Amino acid sequence: MKRIVIVLLSLVSHLLLSQNNKQIDTIYCDSKNTSYLIFYDKVELVDVGNPDNYVAQIEESAIFVKALKPSVEPTTILVKIGKNFHFGILLGLERNNKNYYDFTKLNGGGEEKNTKGIEAANSSEKKNPLDLTAKIETLLATKNEMHTLGSVSKFLETSIPVIRNDKEYTYLKLVVKNKSSIPYKVDFISFQYFEDQKKGVGKKRKKVPRDEFPINENKVKEIESGQTVAIPFVIKSYALSNNGYLMVLVREASGNRVLKIKVEGSIIQKAPQF
């Protein structure tokens, strides 16, 4: 594993020198707790080298990162803030004592914040919830139509019984049922489009993930014992090929309960319009 880390760090260093960007510290992660990365401005993009082993979620100027398994190999992480790109390494540990990383001084005053751009983005974000409120309410009020999209464990059930589309967004009604006697604290609910991509003539296709972050805010943070909750999500529409699909990952904040729902691209494209 040490050899892998050295190779990854060498690659990152090369990128930093060639693009004059700044490297961030190695981020230690585990599968039971969230690692928090705080930056100096709003994060526009985060890319994890191996999304099968790690998951990352943007919240304004912060990124929440978790390992998906108790023991995983290291991978790269890229963060885009304005015109700046920052590179680092995610390192999974079975036990991790460092969960908070402060990168608020990373910019060092070298780049002025684009306040007009930030104000415009904030203005757009304030408008979106108002524009989407009626559709979200309709989504939640719609009776369950599908009963095949879901994931079931001994103590937890998740499903997506209603899907809608408009010109810009896909609307998903996610239903979570807590069958255990312990409250389910929601940590990550992430969305990834997987699209087939040719590797070369005569070679097999490889599915490449594309992270999509919800337009609306998830206000459900905890699901009580025996409770069933419907959570609306709005993500940007993406035209998937016949073999493409959307993967929805539901992960617990303090525990190892993780459920995945695979939604075929054909199902999304056939969903009714708002």
Side-chain angles (χ1 to χ4, degrees):
M1 179 172 288
K2 289 182 179 179
R3 185 176 180 181
I4 294 173
V5 174
I6 292 172
V7 172
L8 289 173
L9 285 173
S10 298
L11 175 61
V12 169
S13 298
H14 174 72
L15 290 171
L16 290 172
L17 290 173
S18 62
Q19 298 187 29
N20 194 28
N21 290 305
K22 297 180 181 179
Q23 182 175 350
I24 58 177
D25 298 337
T26 297
I27 308 301
Y28 298 99
C29 311
D30 64 73
S31 60
K32 294 184 179 181
N33 302 289
T34 302
S35 292
Y36 303 95
L37 289 61
I38 312 300
F39 291 89
Y40 52 85
D41 207 343
K42 186 175 181 179
V43 178
E44 298 176 12
L45 171 72
V46 60
D47 182 78
V48 174
N50 190 340
D52 292 331
N53 289 341
Y54 300 86
V55 63
Q57 177 177 322
I58 297 175
E59 290 289 343
E60 294 295 331
S61 60
I63 299 176
F64 304 156
V65 183
K66 237 182 185 181
L68 296 178
K69 305 170 187 176
S71 181
V72 291
E73 294 182 351
T75 191
T76 54
I77 182 172
L78 178 147
V79 179
K80 182 179 183 294
I81 303 174
K83 296 181 180 180
N84 293 340
F85 287 87
H86 304 297
F87 301 86
I89 298 295
L90 297 180
L91 182 58
L93 302 173
E94 291 188 8
R95 293 183 179 180
N96 175 31
N97 295 322
K98 185 177 181 181
N99 297 104
Y100 179 78
Y101 297 83
D102 186 355
F103 299 121
T104 54
K105 297 180 180 179
L106 188 65
N107 196 35
E111 177 190 346
E112 294 183 1
K113 293 184 180 181
N114 184 356
T115 55
K116 290 184 178 180
I118 294 172
E119 289 173 1
N122 290 338
S123 176
S124 174
E125 288 177 358
K126 290 177 182 178
K127 289 180 181 178
N128 276 332
L130 297 176
D131 296 338
L132 302 177
T133 297
K135 292 181 178 180
I136 289 175
E137 290 178 352
T138 300
L139 181 79
L140 291 175
T142 302
K143 292 183 179 180
N144 295 347
E145 300 169 339
M146 297 179 290
H147 304 280
T148 57
L149 297 177
S151 183
V152 180
S153 70
K154 186 176 181 180
F155 299 110
L156 196 69
E157 292 182 9
T158 60
S159 64
I160 299 178
V162 182
I163 301 176
R164 291 291 185 271
N165 295 312
D166 63 18
K167 293 182 179 180
E168 295 184 68
Y169 303 114
T170 293
Y171 301 75
L172 305 165
K173 178 181 179 181
L174 176 68
V175 177
V176 182
K177 181 179 181 180
N178 184 7
K179 299 185 293 184
S180 74
S181 59
I182 301 173
Y184 186 93
K185 295 182 180 179
V186 180
D187 186 8
F188 285 110
I189 299 181
S190 60
F191 303 84
Q192 283 187 318
Y193 285 117
F194 283 80
E195 185 69 85
D196 281 346
Q197 179 174 313
K198 290 184 178 180
K199 295 176 65 177
V201 179
K203 294 184 179 180
K204 293 182 179 180
R205 293 172 177 261
K206 180 181 180 181
K207 286 187 169 58
V208 178
R210 171 193 174 101
D211 291 312
E212 282 298 334
F213 300 96
I215 303 299
N216 63 315
E217 179 186 0
N218 173 28
K219 297 181 180 179
V220 178
K221 303 301 181 184
E222 185 171 301
I223 302 171
E224 297 296 333
S225 172
Q227 186 180 23
T228 299
V229 176
I231 310 174
F233 285 100
V234 184
I235 60 176
K236 290 183 179 179
S237 297
Y238 184 68
L240 293 164
S241 66
N242 292 333
N243 295 324
Y245 60 87
L246 172 69
M247 181 64 74
V248 182
L249 177 68
V250 182
R251 185 176 183 83
E252 188 175 18
S254 55
N256 290 322
R257 293 183 286 184
V258 182
L259 293 178
K260 296 180 180 180
I261 304 176
K262 181 180 179 180
V263 186
E264 298 293 344
S266 58
I267 294 177
I268 297 175
Q269 294 186 53
K270 291 178 182 177
Q273 286 187 324
F274 266 132

